[in-house]
Amino acid sequence: MGTKQEMLGHPFMVGLAPEHQAAMVECAREAFIQKGTWLLRNGDLADQFFLVQEGVLSIELYVPNRAEHSIQTVHPGELLGWDWMVPPYRWTFDVRAQEDCRAFAVDARCIRGKGQVDHEFGYQLQNRISQVMARRVKALRFQLLDVYSHEP
């Protein structure tokens, strides 16, 4: 079972003030996701986010008349999910476990409440998640450039 120390060692947690780390730990639980399991589905309530400890998750997009298409993967040490920050709090992608995974699932309502009370904590969360978003968008941009550069 994951420990508080293990969660505190996750790259997303490193450098947060001790009281902010405590708030994160208080809102988290350990989650196990079996290979092949859908963790998130487009349109469902975004009520948590994940600090991935083990395994690989695939962010997928449904393309009409085709199967799901993997657009990115999330690995140990990374964060999964930011739709919980923006109303209407609905997932915009599907996520499936490519292998057995273990993560810390952080309750979104709990964290949003703590961020509303402690604005510095809310700012730190938004700043860190914005960095994750920027990296993912940049990676997607390069992926799309690669796809379209091979068209006839």
Side-chain angles (χ1 to χ4, degrees):
M1 184 144 143
T3 65
K4 175 182 174 182
Q5 281 308 114
E6 187 179 15
M7 186 175 173
L8 294 177
H10 190 280
F12 187 81
M13 299 285 288
V14 173
L16 279 176
E19 63 272 17
H20 299 156
Q21 289 178 336
M24 290 282 292
V25 168
E26 186 178 318
C27 292
R29 64 173 177 76
E30 192 168 28
F32 298 94
I33 307 101
Q34 278 190 308
K35 178 181 179 176
T37 301
W38 290 104
L39 177 62
L40 310 175
R41 296 301 288 204
N42 180 36
D44 285 352
L45 180 64
D47 58 357
Q48 57 191 335
F49 64 97
F50 301 87
L51 303 179
V52 180
Q53 292 295 110
E54 296 174 5
V56 178
L57 297 159
S58 175
I59 300 173
E60 301 187 11
L61 180 64
Y62 173 73
V63 179
N65 301 320
R66 293 184 172 181
E68 296 280 339
H69 179 73
S70 178
I71 58 171
Q72 289 184 343
T73 53
V74 180
H75 298 90
E78 295 183 322
L79 176 135
L80 171 68
W82 58 69
D83 293 320
W84 62 273
M85 292 182 66
V86 182
Y89 309 119
R90 299 283 173 187
W91 295 118
T92 54
F93 294 101
D94 299 323
V95 176
R96 180 180 4 202
Q98 287 188 347
E99 32 184 83
D100 288 343
C101 297
R102 189 171 61 83
F104 289 100
V106 183
D107 181 276
R109 185 174 295 161
C110 178
I111 283 297
R112 283 194 305 264
K114 291 181 181 302
Q116 289 170 350
V117 171
D118 180 344
H119 293 167
E120 177 61 25
F121 178 49
Y123 170 78
Q124 290 298 324
L125 281 176
Q126 260 193 318
N127 186 43
R128 286 167 184 259
I129 291 173
S130 294
Q131 291 175 33
V132 171
M133 292 168 70
R135 284 192 303 271
R136 295 255 171 82
V137 168
K138 185 176 182 179
L140 185 57
R141 178 179 177 268
F142 284 120
Q143 182 181 357
L144 289 171
L145 287 173
D146 184 53
V147 166
Y148 288 111
S149 70
H150 297 297
E151 282 194 348

